[in-house]
Amino acid sequence: VKADITDFGSYLALSGGTVTGATTFSSTTASTSKTTGAVVVTGGVGIGGTLNVGGDVAAYATSDRLLKTNLKNIEDPISKLSSIGGYEYQWKKSAKKLGEHLQGDSIGVIADEIAQVLPDAVIKRDNGYSAVNYQMLIPLMIEAVKEQQSQIEELKAQIGEA
C-alpha cells in the first residue's frame, strides 16, 4: 500500500495512494444506500477490467428534462428497429480473454448493426472491440411500440368504418 491511511476506529480512510494486488474487504455491513456498506467511495470509481457483482446492482441514469434541450422523438423507429437483430449465440473461445463472463451461451445484439441506426449507442473500446450501451436501445423500442400502436388504432378504425 502506497497511501495515507487514517484509522478512525470503526473504519480506515485511504487517500492519495494506490493499493496493488488483490484486496479483500470482509464486513457484514449491509449497503442500503450510496452512503452505507462495507466500502463507501465518495468520488468517481474507475474500473479497468470487468466488474463482477454477486448481488443486485441498483443504479440510476440521470434523465431529468431540466438537463435536456432540443428534444424530439426518434424518427422512423420501426424501420430502425427492423434493421437490427436480436440473437442467440455462443461466445468464441477467444472472447474469454476479455472477461470470464464472455463464454458459453448468450443473447444480445451485434454492435455493427446498432452503429448503423444508433451510432451514439456504440463505442470502440481500447481493446479494439465494439461495445453497446443497451440502455440506449430502450427509447428506440418505446417509440417503435408507440408507432405500431398508432398503426393498429388506424387499422381498427378502418375496419370499423367498413
Side-chain angles (χ1 to χ4, degrees):
V1 176
K2 298 178 191 171
D4 295 324
I5 300 175
T6 306
D7 187 347
F8 288 98
S10 61
Y11 67 94
L12 296 174
L14 171 74
S15 61
T18 303
V19 176
T20 57
T23 303
T24 301
F25 297 91
S26 180
S27 172
T28 57
T29 304
S31 177
T32 56
S33 73
K34 64 183 179 183
T35 59
T36 64
V39 178
V40 177
V41 177
T42 56
V45 177
I47 299 173
T50 301
L51 174 65
N52 293 301
V53 179
D56 291 342
V57 175
Y60 297 87
T62 301
S63 189
D64 197 299
R65 179 183 284 273
L66 297 173
L67 299 172
K68 300 175 182 183
T69 186
N70 300 324
L71 291 172
K72 62 179 186 164
N73 287 344
I74 297 169
E75 293 181 21
D76 203 16
I78 293 176
S79 175
K80 288 178 180 173
L81 200 55
S82 295
S83 68
I84 60 177
Y87 301 96
E88 295 179 358
Y89 56 90
Q90 290 81 41
W91 287 103
K92 291 182 176 180
K93 291 191 186 318
S94 60
K96 185 178 175 185
K97 71 180 180 209
L98 301 174
E100 289 292 319
H101 63 291
L102 301 179
Q103 57 184 332
D105 296 337
S106 195
I107 61 171
V109 296
I110 303 296
D112 310 84
E113 293 178 5
I114 302 301
Q116 295 298 311
V117 294
L118 293 173
D120 291 340
V122 177
I123 62 165
K124 186 70 80 171
R125 290 202 168 140
D126 292 342
N127 61 22
Y129 293 103
S130 297
V132 174
N133 180 343
Y134 277 79
Q135 178 178 314
M136 292 182 78
L137 301 179
I138 295 170
L140 177 63
M141 291 182 229
I142 290 170
E143 289 303 309
V145 168
K146 287 168 45 179
E147 187 173 301
Q148 278 189 332
Q149 189 61 40
S150 177
Q151 292 172 356
I152 290 168
E153 296 300 327
E154 191 177 306
L155 290 170
K156 285 169 63 176
Q158 288 175 8
I159 292 170
E161 292 174 5

